Amino acid sequence: MDITLTTPALLFPALSLLLLAYTNRFMALANRVRALKSQYQESHREPHMRQIQNLRRRLLIVRNMQAVGIASMFGCVLCMFLLYAGLAAAAQLVFGASLLALLVSLGMSLWEIQISVDALNIELDDLQEDEQQRRQTRAAENTDAAAEG
């Protein structure tokens, strides 16, 4: 297989958008961590601590996604340099490694999405528990009112 200078350059737009998406995801997680920290300091509720633990895992994954994505882009640039220097065989190996790094990064992205679903389930479980407690409280108040009347 022969590759030209334009072959690795084709990945630049995709990698740039991917890294931007990863950065946006990281910033959203950072904001959520700050919000949860203040909520936890006020209430010390167990679901908040579970969310914080979940976010810690997700932050590590997003950091690694970014690192591997950057390595993929670095490999594309190195591939272009190797092609320019006339080292086509080395360029092919580096380009292949860049594609593998991109696959790893995308795989980690999928893993992080699955963990984010766990975070949403924690929120939904907490909401459901609050609603059940509210209904029980209302039922107890109605029972007390009926006993008095």
Side-chain angles (χ1 to χ4, degrees):
M1 174 181 119
D2 290 330
I3 59 175
T4 65
L5 276 173
T6 57
T7 305
L10 290 173
L11 286 182
F12 282 127
L15 287 170
S16 297
L17 289 174
L18 191 65
L19 291 174
L20 180 62
Y22 291 171
T23 300
N24 288 340
R25 193 178 291 179
F26 183 84
M27 295 306 294
L29 289 174
N31 289 334
R32 185 68 179 132
V33 166
R34 290 181 186 99
L36 268 174
K37 179 185 175 195
S38 65
Q39 289 174 1
Y40 181 76
Q41 287 174 333
E42 291 174 11
S43 67
H44 295 288
R45 295 187 63 213
E46 187 266 339
H48 292 141
M49 183 51 68
R50 288 175 45 213
Q51 286 284 25
I52 290 168
Q53 292 166 349
N54 183 292
L55 286 169
R56 184 182 307 275
R57 286 177 53 210
R58 290 175 62 196
L59 283 169
L60 289 173
I61 293 169
V62 171
R63 180 197 65 192
N64 292 336
M65 287 166 29
Q66 289 174 318
V68 176
I70 290 167
S72 179
M73 185 171 272
F74 182 83
C76 285
V77 173
L78 181 59
C79 175
M80 291 173 70
F81 175 77
L82 291 171
L83 285 170
Y84 181 74
L87 302 169
Q92 287 179 343
L93 291 174
V94 170
F95 185 66
S98 296
L99 291 176
L100 287 175
L102 180 58
L103 281 173
V104 168
S105 179
L106 292 171
M108 287 191 295
S109 178
L110 179 62
W111 181 27
E112 193 272 334
I113 289 169
Q114 291 172 334
I115 293 173
S116 71
V117 170
D118 293 342
L120 291 174
N121 283 330
I122 292 170
E123 290 287 333
L124 291 172
D125 290 346
D126 188 37
L127 182 65
Q128 192 172 16
E129 288 173 14
D130 286 348
E131 179 61 21
Q132 287 174 348
Q133 287 177 353
R134 189 180 66 78
R135 286 182 181 177
Q136 289 173 352
T137 302
R138 191 180 324 149
E141 289 172 355
N142 290 342
T143 304
D144 291 343
E148 291 176 3

